[in-house]
Amino acid sequence: MSFRTTSAIDYVEDVSPGSGALPPRARYASSDARSLSLNGSWRFRLSPTADAEDDSFAAEGFDAGGWAEVSVPGHWVLQGHGSPIYTNHLYPFPVDPPRVPTGNPTGDHLHTFDLPSDWPSDGGAVLRFDGVESCARVWLNGTDIGEFKGSRLPHEFAVGHLLKPGGNVLAVRVHQWSAGSYLEDQDQWWLPGIFRDVTLLHRPAAGVLDFFVHASYDHVEGLGTLRVDSDVDGRVTVPALDIDVATGESVTVPVRPWTAETPRLYDGVLATEGERVPLRVGFRTVALEDGLVKVNGTPLLFKGVNRHEWHPERGRALDLETMREDVLLMKRHNINAVRTSHYPPHPAFLDLCDEYGLWVVDECDLETHGFTEQAWRDNPVDDERWTPALLDRAARMVERDKNHPSVVIWSLGNEAGTGRGLTAMAEWIRGRDGSRLIHYEGDIDCRGTDVYSRMYADHAEVERIGRGLDGGTHRRRGLPFILCEYGHAMGNGPGGIADYQHLFESYDRIQGGFIWEWIDHGIKDERYGFAYGGDFGEELHDGNFVCDGLLFPDRTPSPGLVEYKKVIEPVRIVGDGEDGTVRVTNGYDFADLSALAFQWSYQVDGETVEAGVLSVPELAPGASADVKLPDPPADPRGGETQWTVRATLAADTAWGPKDHLVAWAQFPLSARPLTAVAQSDGPVLGEGQITLGPAAFDARTGALRSIGGLDVRGLRLDVWRAPTDNDNGAAWQPDLRYGPLWRELGLHRMQHRLESVELGDDALTVRTRVAPAAREVALRTVYRWTSDGTRLRLTVSVTPEGDWTLPLPRLGIRLGLAGSVDGARWFGGGPGEAYPDTKSASMVGRWESTIDGLQTPYVRPQENGARADVRWVEIGGLRVEGEPEFWFTARRWTSEQLDAAEHPTDLKAGETVWVNLDHGQQGIGSQSCGPGALEQYQLRPAPAEFTFLFSEIHG
């Protein structure tokens, strides 16, 4: 005899979105109705499986005194219960939709609460969950009220009939895996738990249910039209506009429009008989016109970022101040747009976007990327059984967020293939909200979208698209193009974004893009500093691919963010320092330049000698003006001179303080004079050493040992750098990935063969051959040393031999300085690191830093810290001048040690500071997910000669 039992957890594997929840509706931050936050400390029990038919914990009177405690909002795996899992696209469970493993970590949560003494006795109540991963079943006072899926979406339940004045017991069973997990395969940590707010809302009789604020703007007439549709009749008032109308009625008045640059919001109230809800109304019209995305009649240029929600200790459980910090950092770095990758954010984030001004592409909580492993077979978005779940997710996004003026585009999701479910989502959204556009990158023919969207298209293809030479369907050719992801900000980089921006500004059809992504998702960990994939013993993981942001996990801006700020600055300042005229162009889409102040300064050898105010007209968007600089001051020193022009905030704003730097440019006036070194007596052979001016060399090898009283170690040609994430590239890419090829060639283990040490009348010449074992390629290297008696001059000549098919990582010399080396001063680019295709933000001047401050703490250690265009550097008592200008790097470990490290905690400071003085550096690119360094930034082996002048610093 056989029999089958029906499990009480069948809902976990049900493709439906759940049961018991109320229809989705608009979310508003506050009203005059009472609410009670249920956030805080909850009792918690973790079970290894979902097969927990015993729901006695949900009953009143259950004793959970022996249970652990967790914070809600929060993820239990970040609070000592289980471990996080990181995968980029692979499902961390067998792909057998809609089934999930028996081993399904399940967290039972309990919270007891009393109603406030003044909680109204009339009306009803709603229990709202703003985000639970991935599936939850809910009981209140022992009554099962429903279950739901859709982790980053709100769910509400009517519970007024179940409440009592005191001792209310809220029980929530949360399963890590469910059928919904197949729809949530985003590139991120898998983090179960109740990670957004839980709130009890009083719902008064005749209170507000759902409402839709329609606030359009006629840019020709300067008029705004407001209509608020409401499920419950009421009135809408906007005092600043003298508006007082019934819901459902339209009114047209003169207004100032909302834009991301000028985020004008009008405070209003929606009042029904039972409730008053504050409104923040922004008037703007989004349209697809002339093949372009336009707001208020003006084409947009998105200078955007993709933003996952992240905190290094709390995961996706973000507080308001962290969200505000994100928005302020974006505004202060000239970012104007956010794609909410790949799910709707906490609703408070959109409030902040409305307030401070950011264009938002609001993306649905949908990704099925793991189905690529089986050529999209069984993909839920093309299986009609899943369509109700997809429509539910679309509706919960649109209904929740429809009243935000910052949201200008709805995105159906990310990397979910194609199928009938996506078509149904697009059709439903169009029918519900025709005031915004629709995006979905995976719809390559743009059958259901309003923009042609791509990820990581290289520069050449972007230019073809801009020129209309990309082909495709007739519909696609008539649509605007955006890069929904580009500039993969993983580790050192991204490189080449200035070249992208040039294309964006050269072709109207290209309306910008969104850097991937905003923040590294490192998890704070005492072992590693910040942990990434694999650090928690995951069966499958994608390593540090989760750390690919413009911010480090602690929200410190990376050099990539500083570079991006410069690349997308909204004021262009170009000119010729010699004729004393600069052209200032307003690059804003909507704002004039009245909020900015301009200053000039004049530098001699990197030091400012005079500065003043530059008078610039309040240019309209897109307008330019030629502005005359003052006559340069007289300078008897005959040094290198340049102008610097800055645009700063003229007064405090909501997002930045007075004098905050918005844009800048530099114009060289006179080049630096080259240092002449008179010849003195030539090298002298002594017992075991050769002396030349202030220097001593090993008599047998010609190796430099000291300069004056300074010990110098291991000076020799160096071509290796610890490969960056972008050097290493991604395994799926067909293009050459230079990091692995460099290692295969053996550039990390070059051998130096001494060929001769020659003492001439005026020079010491050392000839070597530098080559990797097992290979025939080599670099013939000649070191020619001369001196004027107090200074030491080195000219390095490099001649490649053999068939070099790869660029070099770097080309220069490395040397070690022993003893106490605390910091460095230099004249050149700074203050931060720069490489050939990441040096837009490198400002020429005089800078100084500690040795530790010269390092960039990437979550996975790699090449970092180079300063570009250096004229001279002083470090450890040594002064080095270069002809031509050079890169310098200094660190307390070698490149080989840096290469071997997996985390910064692996790096141990030694007694020697290793200094690289580089004639050339390979560009960075963004090949960790995008294109590599452009050809013009590649360091191809070729004959080269460069010179350094060394001297000891006295006093």
Side-chain angles (χ1 to χ4, degrees):
M1 183 177 73
S2 63
F3 62 91
R4 179 180 183 273
T5 61
T6 300
S7 170
I9 59 155
D10 282 351
Y11 66 89
V12 173
E13 295 182 340
D14 192 334
V15 298
S16 75
S19 64
L22 295 169
R25 63 180 182 131
R27 189 184 193 285
Y28 43 93
S30 64
S31 81
D32 63 352
R34 288 298 306 272
S35 66
L36 177 65
S37 172
L38 300 181
N39 295 344
S41 180
W42 289 44
R43 290 290 185 177
F44 176 78
R45 176 183 66 185
L46 182 62
S47 301
T49 72
D51 190 14
E53 296 187 23
D54 179 12
D55 58 10
S56 61
F57 82 102
E60 297 177 85
F62 180 84
D63 182 6
W67 288 20
E69 293 188 13
V70 295
S71 294
V72 171
H75 305 279
W76 70 68
V77 293
L78 297 183
Q79 300 183 63
H81 306 280
S83 298
I85 299 170
Y86 167 61
T87 60
N88 167 29
H89 79 281
L90 295 175
Y91 289 105
F93 48 81
V95 179
D96 183 24
R99 287 166 285 277
V100 296
T102 301
N104 185 359
T106 295
D108 289 335
H109 299 68
L110 274 177
H111 186 62
T112 302
F113 64 94
D114 299 330
L115 296 178
S117 58
D118 58 348
W119 188 266
S121 58
D122 63 328
V126 164
L127 176 64
R128 182 175 65 211
F129 295 89
D130 279 313
V132 182
E133 182 176 333
S134 74
C135 172
R137 188 168 194 145
V138 186
W139 295 261
L140 181 60
N141 291 331
T143 299
D144 182 352
I145 61 175
E147 78 281 341
F148 62 90
K149 307 177 190 76
S151 298
R152 270 68 70 174
L153 296 162
H155 294 83
E156 293 183 328
F157 298 88
V159 297
H161 60 294
L162 300 174
L163 290 173
K164 56 186 181 180
N168 292 282
V169 177
L170 177 58
V172 185
R173 174 166 284 163
V174 180
H175 307 282
Q176 174 154 18
W177 311 123
S178 70
S181 301
Y182 285 98
L183 304 180
E184 296 172 4
D185 189 27
Q186 292 97 338
D187 173 13
Q188 60 182 348
W189 294 97
W190 298 87
L191 298 174
I194 305 172
F195 68 94
R196 287 187 185 159
D197 305 288
V198 182
T199 312
L200 183 68
L201 305 168
H202 176 244
R203 303 312 304 137
V208 173
L209 294 177
D210 191 22
F211 64 96
F212 197 161
V213 177
H214 304 273
S216 60
Y217 180 70
D218 182 337
H219 65 279
V220 176
E221 301 294 334
L223 300 177
T225 298
L226 176 65
R227 186 185 82 247
V228 178
D229 295 332
S230 174
D231 286 358
V232 177
D233 291 343
R235 296 198 69 79
V236 176
T237 56
V238 184
L241 298 175
D242 293 326
I243 289 176
D244 185 346
V245 296
T247 54
E249 292 184 6
S250 296
V251 58
T252 299
V253 294
V255 298
R256 291 167 54 196
W258 189 97
T259 74
E261 297 166 6
T262 56
R264 181 65 166 94
L265 293 172
Y266 290 91
D267 291 326
V269 173
L270 166 61
T272 65
E273 184 179 341
E275 187 176 11
R276 293 171 58 85
V277 173
L279 304 177
R280 304 206 77 189
V281 181
F283 292 88
R284 53 101 188 103
T285 294
V286 183
L288 179 63
E289 294 178 351
D290 306 319
L292 299 173
V293 178
K294 294 185 179 181
V295 173
N296 304 337
T298 297
L300 300 184
L301 185 60
F302 292 111
K303 302 171 181 180
V305 291
N306 287 274
R307 175 187 176 268
H308 270 300
E309 296 183 300
W310 189 249
H311 187 280
E313 296 173 81
R314 301 191 298 272
R316 286 188 286 279
L318 297 190
D319 61 280
L320 179 61
E321 287 313 306
T322 297
M323 291 184 269
R324 189 185 307 276
E325 184 180 355
D326 278 351
V327 170
L328 292 178
L329 279 169
M330 290 176 188
K331 295 291 290 186
R332 291 169 184 170
H333 287 85
N334 295 328
I335 290 165
N336 72 0
V338 179
R339 177 179 174 226
T340 69
S341 53
H342 297 294
Y343 43 82
H346 190 292
F349 180 78
L350 297 181
D351 292 335
L352 295 167
C353 294
D354 294 342
E355 178 182 352
Y356 291 102
L358 288 168
W359 308 114
V360 174
V361 177
D362 198 354
E363 192 149 88
C364 196
D365 190 10
L366 173 62
E367 180 165 338
T368 63
H369 198 176
F371 284 90
T372 57
E373 296 297 306
Q374 53 203 59
W376 296 108
R377 187 175 62 257
D378 297 329
N379 185 11
V381 305
D382 200 27
D383 183 337
E384 61 185 12
R385 295 176 301 166
W386 294 79
T387 299
L390 303 183
L391 290 173
D392 180 76
R393 288 170 184 248
R396 290 189 183 279
M397 172 182 70
V398 171
E399 301 296 6
R400 191 195 76 167
D401 297 342
K402 60 181 177 280
N403 294 327
H404 289 282
S406 57
V407 176
V408 293
I409 296 176
W410 300 117
S411 179
L412 303 182
N414 183 68
E415 293 176 321
T418 58
R420 292 164 287 178
L422 287 163
T423 301
M425 292 170 70
E427 291 175 350
W428 185 91
I429 292 174
R430 288 189 197 283
R432 178 58 174 146
D433 178 24
S435 69
R436 294 176 174 92
L437 306 182
I438 293 180
H439 165 273
Y440 178 63
E441 181 268 344
D443 183 1
I444 193 67
D445 292 326
C446 303
R447 289 170 296 185
T449 65
D450 298 306
V451 295
Y452 176 29
S453 176
R454 290 285 302 283
M455 297 179 181
Y456 307 109
D458 63 26
H459 300 76
E461 183 178 4
V462 170
E463 182 163 23
R464 289 195 299 273
I465 292 170
R467 296 174 62 191
L469 302 177
D470 55 304
T473 63
H474 176 75
R475 171 173 170 75
R476 193 182 83 182
R477 292 197 304 273
L479 293 179
F481 175 77
I482 64 169
L483 279 167
C484 67
E485 295 178 20
Y486 82 109
H488 199 250
M490 184 177 176
N492 187 334
I497 58 174
D499 305 88
Y500 273 117
Q501 192 65 25
H502 175 73
L503 294 172
F504 298 166
E505 295 176 6
S506 298
Y507 298 98
D508 290 342
R509 184 190 181 192
I510 306 174
Q511 293 196 256
F514 297 80
I515 293 288
W516 186 268
E517 65 156 302
W518 177 237
I519 188 170
D520 287 342
H521 297 197
I523 294 177
K524 189 173 182 180
D525 188 288
E526 61 183 12
R527 300 167 298 170
Y528 308 121
F530 294 106
Y532 51 76
D535 288 338
F536 299 97
E538 298 102 307
E539 178 184 11
L540 295 174
H541 66 85
D542 287 289
N544 67 311
F545 201 71
V546 76
C547 294
D548 45 14
L550 295 170
L551 295 181
F552 296 122
D554 63 0
R555 282 183 161 72
T556 300
S558 75
L561 180 57
V562 177
E563 174 81 355
Y564 193 40
K565 174 187 177 181
K566 173 62 180 166
V567 165
I568 60 175
E569 61 189 9
V571 180
R572 296 300 186 201
I573 307 167
V574 298
D576 184 341
E578 292 188 6
D579 71 8
T581 300
V582 296
R583 168 156 286 198
V584 179
T585 300
N586 180 356
Y588 286 112
D589 293 328
F590 298 93
D592 62 25
L593 298 188
S594 59
L596 301 182
F598 290 80
Q599 304 88 31
W600 61 266
S601 60
Y602 183 78
Q603 289 84 40
V604 178
D605 288 337
E607 293 185 307
T608 296
V609 296
E610 283 195 26
V613 174
L614 187 66
S615 180
V616 176
E618 295 181 359
L619 298 170
S624 299
D626 291 328
V627 180
K628 187 70 175 175
L629 293 166
D631 293 332
D635 176 55
R637 291 177 288 175
E640 178 180 353
T641 60
Q642 69 178 11
W643 296 100
T644 301
V645 176
R646 293 176 172 85
T648 61
L649 289 181
D652 290 347
T653 70
W655 53 265
K658 182 180 183 294
D659 298 327
H660 167 77
L661 182 62
V662 174
W664 59 273
Q666 291 185 310
F667 313 104
L669 189 56
S670 62
R672 67 182 176 120
L674 298 179
T675 303
V677 179
Q679 300 298 118
S680 68
D681 294 336
V684 177
L685 178 62
E687 185 175 347
Q689 73 172 15
I690 300 168
T691 58
L692 177 62
F697 299 81
D698 184 281
R700 184 177 61 84
T701 65
L704 178 65
R705 294 291 182 241
S706 64
I707 299 174
L710 303 175
D711 290 336
V712 180
R713 302 176 180 176
L715 187 149
R716 64 184 189 178
L717 187 78
D718 191 20
V719 299
W720 181 247
R721 73 184 187 194
T724 67
D725 292 315
N726 288 305
D727 289 336
N728 287 331
W732 65 79
Q733 293 171 325
D735 300 335
L736 293 177
R737 297 182 294 124
Y738 290 128
L741 292 174
W742 289 337
R743 202 178 300 276
E744 180 181 344
L745 182 60
L747 299 188
H748 61 307
R749 49 175 175 78
M750 299 288 275
Q751 298 184 20
H752 297 249
R753 188 185 77 205
L754 177 63
E755 295 189 326
S756 66
V757 178
E758 304 168 5
L759 278 69
D761 292 339
D762 60 355
L764 169 65
T765 303
V766 179
R767 301 181 187 276
T768 65
R769 185 177 188 272
V770 184
R775 306 294 180 182
E776 62 179 356
V777 296
L779 299 171
R780 292 277 181 180
T781 306
V782 179
Y783 307 88
R784 186 174 189 276
W785 300 92
T786 59
S787 175
D788 64 359
T790 59
R791 295 175 293 179
L792 182 68
R793 185 184 187 95
L794 168 64
T795 298
V796 182
S797 302
V798 181
T799 304
E801 288 185 348
D803 184 14
W804 284 89
T805 59
L806 302 177
L808 296 172
R810 68 176 353 125
L811 180 66
I813 61 171
R814 180 172 77 177
L815 57 92
L817 298 177
S820 176
V821 182
D822 296 326
R825 298 176 61 247
W826 72 96
F827 172 28
E833 75 179 25
Y835 292 83
D837 55 351
T838 66
K839 66 174 189 172
S840 298
S842 183
M843 180 183 284
V844 173
R846 292 204 186 191
W847 309 100
E848 59 182 282
S849 171
T850 64
I851 298 300
D852 292 342
L854 289 170
Q855 315 311 307
T856 304
Y858 294 112
V859 176
R860 187 193 71 81
Q862 56 197 271
E863 166 62 33
N864 72 89
R867 268 56 180 181
D869 303 318
V870 176
R871 283 73 164 159
W872 55 256
V873 58
E874 295 178 347
I875 180 170
L878 186 69
R879 179 183 173 95
V880 184
E881 301 171 59
E883 298 175 9
E885 295 152 3
F886 60 99
W887 275 270
F888 99 87
T889 309
R891 53 177 68 103
R892 299 188 188 277
W893 35 79
T894 64
S895 294
E896 291 76 15
Q897 291 168 327
L898 185 64
D899 185 16
E902 296 293 331
H903 297 87
T905 50
D906 296 332
L907 294 167
K908 308 300 179 186
E911 296 180 355
T912 300
V913 168
W914 293 97
V915 180
N916 278 88
L917 308 171
D918 290 318
H919 174 64
Q921 276 272 358
Q922 166 77 357
I924 297 296
S926 68
Q927 201 173 0
S928 52
C929 197
L934 290 168
E935 182 65 32
Q936 62 264 35
Y937 303 121
Q938 294 184 16
L939 183 59
R940 293 290 172 178
E945 184 171 283
F946 47 94
T947 296
F948 297 106
L949 186 65
F950 301 91
S951 57
E952 186 178 8
I953 303 170
H954 298 283

